[in-house]
Amino acid sequence: VQLQASGGGLAQTGDSLRLSCAASGRAASTYSVGWFRQAPGREREFVAVINTDSTSKGLADSVTGRFTISRDNAKNTVYLQMNSLKPVDTAVYYCAARQGSSVFADDYDYWGQGTLVTVSS
């Protein structure tokens, strides 16, 4: 499975951005997809995860109420809608895929290249 993350950019506090993770390859829709982020000087952290049929979703406490995750299997794309952005959300955002959902980055087999989100105050 190949993953391509996009949608990052420069935002101001309170703005919204939508990240996309386009998957290609055999049976891409059979993989759970997670979003992780890594800020400068910090470890990669879990943001959100969605299972194959969208019946199970998870969000980190830090983004609950502001971010939502969804997927369109017809387009092999997973979305991360980010609302009420804060400067602390500034990071490179990565999508990743595996069989079965997990909040741990080490569990994931496939990774996209990352997309930078910068939120200014």
Side-chain angles (χ1 to χ4, degrees), residues 7-93:
L10 181 62
Q12 294 186 331
T13 298
D15 282 353
S16 297
L17 285 175
R18 188 178 76 162
L19 305 184
S20 298
C21 177
S24 61
R26 193 167 66 95
S29 63
T30 67
Y31 288 80
S32 293
V33 173
W35 283 98
F36 295 81
R37 66 186 182 186
Q38 188 166 19
R42 302 191 65 175
E43 293 188 355
R44 194 168 296 189
E45 65 174 0
F46 166 75
V47 176
V49 63
I50 189 168
N51 70 344
T52 55
D53 61 2
S54 304
T55 55
S56 177
K57 304 176 185 179
L59 291 168
D61 289 344
S62 59
V63 304
T64 296
R66 300 187 299 122
F67 292 10
T68 57
I69 188 170
S70 62
R71 68 189 295 162
D72 184 342
N73 284 341
K75 297 181 179 179
N76 282 338
T77 301
V78 173
Y79 303 99
L80 184 69
Q81 179 67 43
M82 307 187 297
N83 299 328
S84 302
L85 283 164
K86 304 175 181 180
V88 294
D89 295 319
T90 295
V92 177
Y93 285 71

